[in-house]
Amino acid sequence: MKTYERIRNYLNAFLHLFYPQICFGCGTDQLEKEMPLCDHCINELPITDFFSIDENPVEKIFWGRAPVLHAGALLFFTKDSLVQDLIAQLKYHHNKKVGILLGRLIGKEIAAAEKFNQIDLLIPIPIRSSKINSRGYNQSQVIAIGIKQVWNRPVETQVLLKKSWSNTQTKKNRSARLRQVPELFVLQNAECIRGKNILIIDDVLTTGATLEAAIVCLMTGDPASVSIAVAAYTL
Ligand SMILES: [Zn+2]
């Protein structure tokens, strides 16, 4: 991205703080209520179409690592892009509206891709409670709420929990040849997911390590299947 575009994005983000009724992408005031972006900027977002593509790059990330039925990402994430700014707004600038919008866009894509029809419930990737305290919300849960607004599935937040720092040490007594999946999560109320088709929700996918750890944990609750929907996929 060119420097002036970067500066323009920065200024728009700054203005948006004081004038939340202007578009975060282009600065227009032609905005629908509670939307961070105008229709034009929404249409310009780098949509991957992965939700309707079998064997897409997001699904391939988990091949040989974890049993994933379907997976997809809404947007391509690149450095110095509007998508990067949107994710930063959601994670570091208390801009919950961005998460709702991303969720609604995911919901529309998933509803159009019929292979997701069998999903019974949405499980957002949990974050540590200290982060919820500083951020005010779990960004993946906000995305899940956005999805639910357009594609009605229950959001389950009491099954997959993040472990506290003190007990996330990976077990050191396993064979060195086995690739270790860190035990980041703990399962409770397992009966809620037994025999169910789960859709895990996350904000950004990079290596897939966090999602892999979540899937390994969820599988101990014996779900029928696990699928994945993320807002952005890093190239
Ligand atoms: Zn705009």
Side-chain angles (χ1 to χ4, degrees), residues 43-62:
N43 288 331
E44 294 290 305
L45 287 171
I47 301 280
T48 67
D49 284 329
F50 286 171
F51 290 116
S52 55
I53 299 172
D54 289 332
E55 303 191 351
N56 65 62
V58 172
E59 291 188 352
K60 286 181 180 174
I61 283 176
F62 297 97

Side-chain angles (χ1 to χ4, degrees), residues 175-195:
S175 164
R177 280 170 300 172
L178 280 177
R179 202 169 43 80
Q180 292 192 353
V181 177
E183 293 173 12
L184 303 175
F185 302 100
V186 60
L187 197 69
Q188 67 169 23
N189 304 317
E191 67 281 359
C192 297
I193 61 167
R194 193 164 301 129

Side-chain angles (χ1 to χ4, degrees), residues 12 22-31 36-42 82:
N12 284 338
I22 70 162
C23 174
F24 177 71
C26 70
T28 178
D29 61 358
Q30 300 298 303
L31 265 193
L37 292 180
C38 71
D39 287 346
H40 173 76
C41 287
I42 290 172
L82 178 58

Side-chain angles (χ1 to χ4, degrees), residues 91-144:
K91 289 176 83 164
Y92 309 114
H93 302 286
H94 311 284
N95 199 336
K96 221 172 163 178
K97 287 190 290 187
V98 169
I100 297 291
L101 171 64
L102 292 173
R104 292 178 69 97
L105 294 174
I106 292 172
K108 277 187 202 166
E109 297 270 324
I110 282 180
E114 291 186 353
K115 62 184 179 182
F116 288 92
N117 277 352
Q118 87 287 9
I119 295 294
D120 298 304
L121 49 97
L122 311 177
I123 297 188
I125 289 289
I127 58 174
R128 290 179 210 290
S129 52
S130 59
K131 278 197 179 167
I132 293 181
N133 290 339
S134 58
R135 193 172 291 164
Y137 51 80
N138 169 358
Q139 72 278 8
S140 298
Q141 192 177 336
V142 175
I143 293 169

Side-chain angles (χ1 to χ4, degrees), residues 5 7-8 11 19 34 44 62 74 76 125-126 142 147-149 161 170 174 176 188 215 225 234:
E5 286 177 329
I7 293 168
R8 190 197 60 195
L11 283 175
Y19 303 99
E34 293 301 305
E44 294 290 305
F62 297 97
L74 178 70
F76 289 110
I125 289 289
V142 175
I147 295 174
K148 186 182 189 318
Q149 288 181 359
L161 303 179
T170 51
R174 288 159 76 183
Q188 67 169 23
I215 294 162
S225 71
T234 51

